[in-house]
Amino acid sequence: MENLIGLLVAAPLLGAAVLLSGGRRLDRAGHWIGTALAVASFVVGAVLFADMLGRDGEDRALHQSLFSWVPVEGFQADVAFQLDQLSMTFVLLITGVGSLIHIYSIGYMEHDERRRRFFGYLNLFLAAMLLLVLADNYLLLYAGWEGVGLASYLLIGFWQHKPSAATAAKKAFIVNRVGDVGLSIAIMLMFTTFGTFAFEPVLASAGETSEGMLTAIGLMLLLAACGKSAQVPLQSWLGDAMEGPTPVSALIHAATMVTAGVYLIVRSGAIFNGSPDAQLVVAIVGAVTLLFGAIVGSAKDDIKKALAGSTMSQIGYMVLAAGLGPIGYVFAIMHLVTHGFFKAGLFLGAGSVMHGMNDEVDMRKYGALRKYMPVTFVTFGLGYLAIIGFPGLSGFWSKDKIIEAAFAKGGTEGWILGGVALLGAAITAYYMTRVMLLTFFGEKRWAPTPSPAAPDVEPAAETAGDHTMPHPHESPRSMTIPMIVLAFGSVFAGGLFSWNSSFLHWLEPVTGHDHGHSPLSAAAVTGATVAVLLLGVLVAWLQYGRKPVPATAPRGSLLTRAARRDLLQDDFNHVVLVKPGEYLTRGLVYVDNKGVDGVVNGTAAAVGGLSGRMRRMQNGFVRSYAVSMFGGTAVLIAATLLMRAV
């Protein structure tokens, strides 16, 4: 069976190669080729999963070595794969949700003339992410890590004719490069410390290494995770990434890019277990980010950006759980999987709404869409209930476990982290209820939108010739069927994972598990979570369900205005990073012009001036040369006589 592991990566990689190099002759069939190869990878994953279930827990890991990548003495790097319970979980998520997003894209991108290229990029994204989670060493993981960054750049900027999309792609690429520096430094430290970067020897030897070195490696891994998973302080790219087509948003947020950082931390659990300081920093970053993203999502009128803030917050929950160590590793991955279902469903639902509303993204111009888009309403609604943690749905099982694990950390840390997680649950219920009310309830608030022929004209009146009134309608089956499948996952996945602690037993051989010592019972945590959930829903209903929604957002409080500007994250980056960079560049240019170039140019000028003056002595007259020779001879004689006299 291990010989099949390579096919998981090979299938979408082949699709990317064929679609990106095949030319226009594949335009008519490109989307079918890309989708078929994504589904083929999922089928291979399902076969390997079935085989893995038939093995004992300690005998489930499979290895496949393809070839030696860097065969240098003392520096051995192989292209080899490791398929265990953790990587298998990601394989099924990536290929399963990824295949549904491919199917959805067939209808969503139907009229895009570059659809073949789009599916090629989607296949490349899947291949890179699969390489990342299947690699058996950190160097090969780094190759997949960079592949994910490249694919995200290509897909976020897919509509590069829009300056905003091109800028967003560059922003995502550059911010992620900062995190990538952390991963590269971590790999270098591993090699100098352990003499290898393969998972097995590195993680097995972590307990024998100094805590200081483990802290350094752990913090560099966390920096890398912050970039890919949009965690504070490298979170600024995620909201702008919504400029890409909606299926890209779903793929990034649910199955690929932002989950990579969580995988990296959990996979490197032995390193963080040996460094309580690094582990605490991970938990703090997750706690800060879950509140940061929730507050930002509460103030956005753009439906996709509201969901982007939600993703930032939910990934924060996962990073918080991963920072709890063995208490939370399993629950971090459990929430990652359930989040993959309901967040993919929410993004695809948002795309369905945009499809019926002339690509309008402002929720203040929606309203009453449940009457016109019943399938989208039901599937989106189930995703909404799942993400707020409604009892019985998938988010309830996974998020509750994270809150419970946070309290089980014990001491002051446990109370603070658990309290933050509860507060985040309340805000999550608020902003997601706001999204539901603005989009599907109330009175219709539709307005004429610019037609494709006049995209830069401001809407003036319903009868304007260059504007069209939205006519909301249900999306085609190629879009609604994936949404229905994801809705089933939003409802049932968490319960299946929690039944008889099946998911815990599945991952425990890889991640380990510690129940901790919670000061609160599971029933108390559940009661508190449901209470804050209802509070968040009530506040949102009082604000948006009982009152007319103004066409323009009111000025709001200072916090609201800051949240609309992403809590000033871009302003902070501009002041702390961009402006000092500009001053540094100007200083270096000045030193180069006045210093380096000044010395070089000054030397050249001095030589040139001296040469010019010496050239005047060469006047061509013999008498002048004779006088010069006589004078020189006289000086030499005088000097000789003086030296003898002394």
Side-chain angles (χ1 to χ4, degrees):
M1 278 294 176
E2 57 270 12
N3 294 330
L4 296 178
I5 300 176
L7 293 179
L8 292 167
V9 181
L13 188 60
L14 174 64
V18 170
L19 295 178
L20 297 177
S21 63
R24 293 191 173 275
R25 68 177 70 89
L26 295 177
D27 280 356
R28 291 188 177 182
H31 51 289
W32 295 114
I33 295 173
T35 302
L37 288 170
V39 172
S41 185
F42 173 71
V43 171
V44 174
V47 171
L48 288 167
F49 176 62
D51 175 72
M52 188 174 286
L53 287 176
R55 300 168 180 260
D56 294 333
E58 303 296 335
D59 190 38
R60 285 174 170 167
L62 300 175
H63 291 82
Q64 181 184 20
S65 181
L66 297 183
F67 57 89
S68 183
W69 182 13
V70 185
V72 178
E73 185 177 356
F75 187 88
Q76 188 73 24
D78 297 330
V79 174
F81 299 132
Q82 173 178 302
L83 185 66
D84 56 17
Q85 293 91 318
L86 178 60
S87 51
M88 174 57 77
T89 302
F90 276 84
V91 164
L92 294 177
L93 176 68
I94 295 164
T95 58
V97 175
S99 295
L100 292 173
I101 293 172
H102 275 70
I103 296 170
Y104 177 94
S105 301
I106 293 173
Y108 191 87
M109 301 294 290
E110 180 179 5
H111 302 294
D112 196 296
E113 61 182 12
R114 300 171 65 235
R115 181 165 62 166
R116 169 186 54 82
R117 184 176 294 274
F118 179 79
F119 276 82
Y121 291 158
L122 287 184
N123 274 194
L124 179 62
F125 213 159
L126 291 191
M129 189 66 190
L130 287 168
L131 179 63
L132 190 159
V133 300
L134 287 171
D136 85 331
N137 62 82
Y138 284 96
L139 192 62
L140 188 59
L141 178 149
Y142 186 79
W145 192 271
E146 293 301 316
V148 167
L150 171 62
S152 65
Y153 169 78
L154 296 172
L155 285 167
I156 293 169
F158 184 74
W159 289 327
Q160 70 265 32
H161 58 276
K162 297 165 53 180
S164 56
T167 300
K170 289 186 288 186
K171 185 176 183 179
F173 192 81
I174 292 171
V175 172
N176 272 273
R177 297 291 73 73
V178 177
D180 295 351
V181 170
L183 182 55
S184 63
I185 293 175
I187 293 173
M188 295 176 195
L189 291 175
M190 288 176 193
F191 186 77
T192 56
T193 303
F194 305 106
T196 180
F197 25 69
F199 290 152
E200 189 173 345
V202 168
L203 300 179
S205 304
E208 305 169 4
T209 307
S210 68
E211 184 176 320
M213 178 56 68
L214 293 179
T215 300
I217 296 174
L219 292 178
M220 290 299 100
L221 292 174
L222 174 61
L223 179 62
C226 286
K228 279 289 182 289
S229 294
Q231 299 292 284
V232 174
L234 300 180
Q235 79 288 359
S236 62
W237 65 270
L238 191 62
D240 293 345
M242 298 304 97
E243 291 293 336
T246 300
V248 175
S249 303
L251 195 60
I252 288 176
H253 288 247
T256 53
M257 189 167 180
V258 297
T259 65
V262 182
Y263 170 80
L264 180 66
I265 294 173
V266 174
R267 174 61 76 185
S268 308
I271 293 174
F272 288 97
N273 292 342
S275 173
D277 292 338
Q279 206 169 64
L280 178 61
V281 174
V282 172
I284 292 173
V285 167
V288 170
T289 306
L290 77 86
L291 290 181
F292 190 105
I295 293 171
V296 168
S298 299
K300 295 295 185 182
D301 292 329
D302 184 319
I303 186 170
K304 289 177 65 178
K305 290 192 175 182
L307 293 178
S310 168
T311 296
M312 192 186 304
S313 179
Q314 297 304 307
I315 298 294
Y317 271 104
M318 302 171 206
V319 173
L320 166 61
L324 300 174
I327 299 174
Y329 289 144
V330 171
F331 304 130
I333 302 303
M334 182 177 174
H335 193 55
L336 186 149
V337 176
T338 59
H339 177 265
F341 284 109
F342 57 69
K343 184 51 62 69
L346 289 169
F347 266 109
L348 297 189
S352 180
V353 170
M354 293 166 57
H355 180 79
M357 294 293 291
N358 291 349
D359 288 329
E360 178 62 66
V361 296
D362 188 348
M363 293 184 291
R364 293 183 180 274
K365 298 178 181 178
Y366 291 166
L369 291 182
R370 70 186 187 281
K371 304 174 184 177
Y372 305 89
M373 310 179 72
V375 176
T376 300
F377 168 63
V378 172
T379 56
F380 193 98
L382 290 173
Y384 152 73
L385 292 174
I387 193 173
I388 68 173
F390 189 83
L393 276 71
S394 61
F396 167 79
W397 300 106
S398 57
K399 191 189 295 184
D400 263 29
K401 288 295 185 182
I402 292 177
I403 298 173
E404 207 175 305
F407 281 111
K409 180 71 173 176
T412 305
E413 293 177 15
W415 282 105
I416 293 175
L417 296 176
V420 168
L422 272 177
L423 177 59
I427 303 175
T428 301
Y430 168 79
Y431 69 71
M432 285 306 305
T433 303
R434 174 179 180 269
V435 170
M436 283 295 295
L437 294 173
L438 288 176
T439 303
F440 295 103
F441 292 90
E443 300 297 325
K444 63 180 184 180
R445 303 179 298 277
W446 314 332
T449 57
S451 64
D456 297 325
V457 181
E458 289 295 328
E462 183 172 348
T463 57
D466 51 7
H467 290 71
T468 57
M469 176 63 77
H471 296 285
H473 56 279
E474 194 55 87
S475 300
R477 289 185 179 180
S478 63
M479 296 171 65
T480 57
I481 289 176
M483 291 159 56
I484 293 171
V485 174
L486 290 168
F488 273 97
S490 299
V491 174
F492 298 112
L496 291 175
F497 292 160
S498 296
W499 179 73
N500 202 26
S501 301
S502 57
F503 197 72
L504 191 155
H505 296 317
W506 167 258
L507 279 183
E508 190 172 7
V510 179
T511 63
H513 183 66
D514 181 357
H515 292 284
H517 303 284
S518 177
L520 299 176
S521 66
V525 173
T526 299
T529 304
V530 173
V532 300
L533 180 158
L534 295 175
L535 177 62
V537 171
L538 176 62
V539 172
W541 182 75
L542 291 174
Q543 188 171 353
Y544 296 96
R546 298 182 60 191
K547 304 175 183 178
V549 177
T552 303
R555 180 175 174 81
S557 65
L558 180 62
L559 177 61
T560 300
R561 297 197 299 273
R564 289 182 188 137
R565 296 179 59 184
D566 299 326
L567 292 180
L568 309 180
Q569 55 184 328
D570 285 333
D571 303 82
F572 176 83
N573 291 341
H574 188 75
V575 172
V576 175
L577 301 175
V578 177
K579 294 303 291 184
E582 290 179 356
Y583 293 138
L584 176 62
T585 301
R586 291 173 187 171
L588 292 174
V589 170
Y590 181 83
V591 170
D592 183 59
N593 289 339
K594 302 299 183 180
V596 178
D597 287 353
V599 172
V600 174
N601 295 336
T603 302
V607 172
L610 180 62
S611 299
R613 288 173 174 76
M614 293 182 66
R615 187 174 62 241
R616 296 173 185 173
M617 300 174 61
Q618 305 296 323
N619 55 20
F621 295 113
V622 174
R623 61 178 180 272
S624 298
Y625 298 157
V627 171
S628 299
M629 294 172 64
F630 177 77
T633 302
V635 169
L636 288 174
I637 292 173
T640 301
L641 293 175
L642 181 61
M643 291 179 66
R644 284 183 177 182
V646 173

